[in-house]
Amino acid sequence: MADKRELEEAFRFFLNGELERMIFSNPRNRDHYIKMTVRPLMLKGTLKFQVEEFTEKQAFQKNMDREEALSYLLKQLDSLYRNGEVVSGAGSMNVLVGKKGTVTVKKKLKIAPGQKGKGSASGNDLSAEAMERLASHNRKKNYVLAEGTPVPFLAELGVMTADGKVVKARYNKFRQINRFLEFIEDILPRLDRNRVNTIIDFGCGKSYLTFAMYYYLKELKGYPIQVVGLDLKKDVIALCNRLSEKFGFENLHFYHGDIAGYEGATHVDMVVTLHACDTATDYAMAKAVRWGADVILSVPCCQHELNSQISNGLLQPVLGYGLLKERMSALITDGIRAQLLEQCGYKTQILEFIDMEHTPKNIMIRAVRCAQCGEKDAGPGRERKKKEKADALMAFLGVQPTLELLLREL
């Protein structure tokens, strides 16, 4: 057991330039922040600490000096979080806060408290290793698939060199792959380690992300999975199957066919559809709902359908401009898709997939079946309210999306 004074001294010891990261998690109330991280950085030659707080949809950052950061993180640990983890060049620490407020601290120190050159508050007194670490923090993001670590399939696909260096011209693809794996990382609790999980990727194309998903889940995390990629291009499917065999990915297979006609499974745990064009996204979502998939990850593309349908006198002054109508139609299409999934019993989020500067196709719809996501108000009443709202919106806009028609048939 540790009292508040001991806890403060422990955090003061680690809160310096030797720090690599602090992670605060397991909040008492998930209605606000769900995680907080702390890392050091140099700003204009001064050591600061960047506190980043996460909701389910956003992240908020603020920079503090040492005393401000110490006071803030102690307050957050006392009032919001139950777990704290510290990784530092000086050692590591785990903090557990019990239901009655009891605090347990476990430390592993590489140096003694007060040792010269370690645990210093001043940026000028930092060790060379700490200065290099800070510089690295400032310029380099921590990716799921780390730079400098060779990944065979990325080398084969031209994203990395054989020694793990990211090819400069493919760096945007490397970032996209890692961003996608962050979404996969978020849904790991929805997968079952005790049985084979079936995942289908509709419209897989050249399958950079399909290979990455398999590699991460099977090779790195050890989940029992079977992954199916589906696409209309026969030459692409043949190439992907050759690569899958070459990499030894025994449970990753690719097939030629369209989304609407696919009948190769009776139950699927997760459906992925990335850049499936126009209503192909709707067919993939409808299939996922029919299978009772626990997770749907969709990055829609070319949302043209509603552009020819949408009609509303009140909005006509805006809809009269073709470019605005096209953009509004795309956003409304994805908003309605999210609402239709909600009324089918999913908790749905619309998230930024990749920075707009890299691709305009940057919206991801992530849906988790409420039986899996722990929604307090899940059930017929919730779904009925969602349906009423979606129906009212579609009537107001004069639209009838493909997904709505497909879901009627289920």
Side-chain angles (χ1 to χ4, degrees):
M1 298 290 185
D3 59 25
K4 290 186 178 181
R5 181 178 178 81
E6 291 173 318
L7 186 62
E8 179 178 348
E9 290 177 353
F11 274 112
R12 187 182 296 277
F13 172 74
F14 284 110
L15 201 60
N16 52 66
E18 301 293 330
L19 177 68
E20 294 181 19
R21 66 180 181 274
M22 292 185 182
I23 301 174
F24 295 77
S25 59
N26 193 9
R28 295 175 175 84
N29 185 344
R30 295 184 65 88
D31 292 339
H32 196 37
Y33 295 122
I34 60 174
K35 183 175 75 171
M36 180 176 78
T37 63
V38 183
R39 70 179 182 91
L41 73 165
M42 297 297 290
L43 292 178
K44 298 181 180 180
T46 302
L47 178 62
K48 296 286 186 179
F49 296 89
Q50 185 176 88
V51 177
E52 189 167 17
E53 296 171 296
F54 299 82
T55 66
E56 289 191 348
K57 298 182 180 181
Q58 294 177 291
F60 302 90
Q61 296 178 343
K62 44 194 164 189
N63 299 324
M64 305 179 183
D65 62 29
R66 189 188 191 202
E67 292 302 316
E68 289 175 326
L70 177 63
S71 175
Y72 189 77
L73 65 90
L74 287 171
K75 178 182 177 182
Q76 294 300 90
L77 190 60
D78 183 59
S79 62
L80 181 57
Y81 298 103
R82 294 190 178 94
N83 294 353
E85 178 189 358
V86 179
V87 179
S88 166
S92 63
M93 178 173 72
N94 286 289
V95 181
L96 300 175
V97 181
K99 292 182 179 180
K100 297 182 179 180
T102 56
V103 179
T104 302
V105 176
K106 297 181 180 180
K107 291 184 289 185
K108 292 183 180 180
L109 303 183
K110 298 179 182 178
I111 63 171
Q115 182 176 334
K116 182 68 174 176
K118 304 286 184 179
S120 170
S122 169
N124 296 328
D125 295 334
L126 295 176
S127 66
E129 292 87 352
M131 291 295 288
E132 174 57 28
R133 188 181 302 115
L134 286 172
S136 178
H137 271 312
N138 285 354
R139 67 176 179 260
K140 186 176 179 181
K141 177 177 172 60
N142 291 321
Y143 289 111
V144 177
L145 300 181
E147 298 181 64
T149 301
V151 179
F153 80 87
L154 289 182
E156 183 72 27
L157 294 171
V159 178
M160 272 185 175
T161 60
D163 60 357
K165 184 178 180 180
V166 179
V167 177
K168 187 175 181 179
R170 307 307 303 278
Y171 203 86
N172 286 345
K173 176 60 69 175
F174 178 72
R175 292 183 68 251
Q176 183 190 53
I177 289 169
N178 274 283
R179 179 60 173 156
F180 177 64
L181 292 182
E182 289 175 7
F183 287 111
I184 297 295
E185 194 171 40
D186 288 342
I187 57 85
L188 286 181
R190 316 301 175 197
L191 301 180
D192 191 341
R193 282 193 176 275
N194 299 313
R195 63 173 178 82
V196 175
N197 298 267
T198 299
I199 302 171
I200 292 185
D201 184 353
F202 284 124
C204 60
K206 292 183 179 179
S207 302
Y208 292 89
L209 301 181
T210 320
F211 282 114
M213 175 172 60
Y214 185 92
Y215 177 80
Y216 175 71
L217 290 174
K218 179 70 173 178
E219 306 297 320
L220 297 186
K221 293 297 183 179
Y223 278 83
I225 59 171
Q226 60 178 3
V227 179
V228 172
L230 189 73
D231 201 89
L232 288 171
K233 299 176 182 177
K234 291 184 177 180
D235 56 337
V236 170
I237 290 298
L239 172 63
C240 290
N241 276 321
R242 287 198 300 270
L243 292 177
S244 180
E245 184 176 353
K246 179 177 181 178
F247 301 143
F249 294 170
E250 296 180 355
N251 293 321
L252 172 59
H253 304 285
F254 297 89
Y255 299 100
H256 172 260
D258 67 358
I259 293 171
Y262 182 75
E263 298 293 340
T266 56
H267 175 78
V268 175
D269 298 282
M270 181 164 74
V271 170
V272 177
T273 169
L274 305 176
H275 301 150
C277 191
D278 202 18
T279 58
T281 294
D282 301 299
Y283 282 96
M285 288 180 170
K287 289 277 189 180
V289 173
R290 191 182 79 181
W291 285 322
D294 292 329
V295 179
I296 302 170
L297 298 179
S298 176
V299 179
C301 175
C302 307
Q303 302 94 322
H304 295 314
E305 182 185 35
L306 297 196
N307 190 46
S308 62
Q309 296 183 14
I310 190 169
S311 177
N312 181 279
L314 185 63
L315 295 176
Q316 190 55 37
V318 176
L319 297 177
Y321 298 97
L323 178 62
L324 296 181
K325 183 181 181 183
E326 179 183 351
R327 291 184 179 179
M328 285 184 65
S329 297
L331 293 172
I332 288 168
T333 297
D334 292 334
I336 291 176
R337 283 168 170 163
Q339 282 296 301
L340 291 172
L341 292 175
E342 290 267 358
Q343 74 183 46
C344 290
Y346 287 83
K347 179 182 179 182
T348 307
Q349 299 168 288
I350 293 184
L351 306 164
E352 184 180 67
F353 176 45
I354 197 72
D355 292 344
M356 181 70 83
E357 64 184 281
H358 301 302
T359 173
K361 305 165 187 177
N362 73 329
I363 284 179
M364 171 174 279
I365 301 175
R366 180 170 67 189
V368 178
R369 200 158 55 90
C370 285
Q372 297 291 319
C373 70
E375 276 284 286
K376 295 179 181 178
D377 61 344
R382 171 189 182 275
E383 294 167 16
R384 183 173 59 254
K385 291 177 182 178
K386 296 289 184 181
K387 185 178 188 310
E388 291 171 355
K389 290 181 179 180
D391 287 348
L393 176 60
M394 289 184 288
F396 176 74
L397 297 172
V399 297
Q400 193 171 51
T402 293
L403 181 58
E404 195 267 342
L405 295 174
L406 292 173
L407 291 177
R408 282 188 196 176
E409 300 172 3
L410 299 183

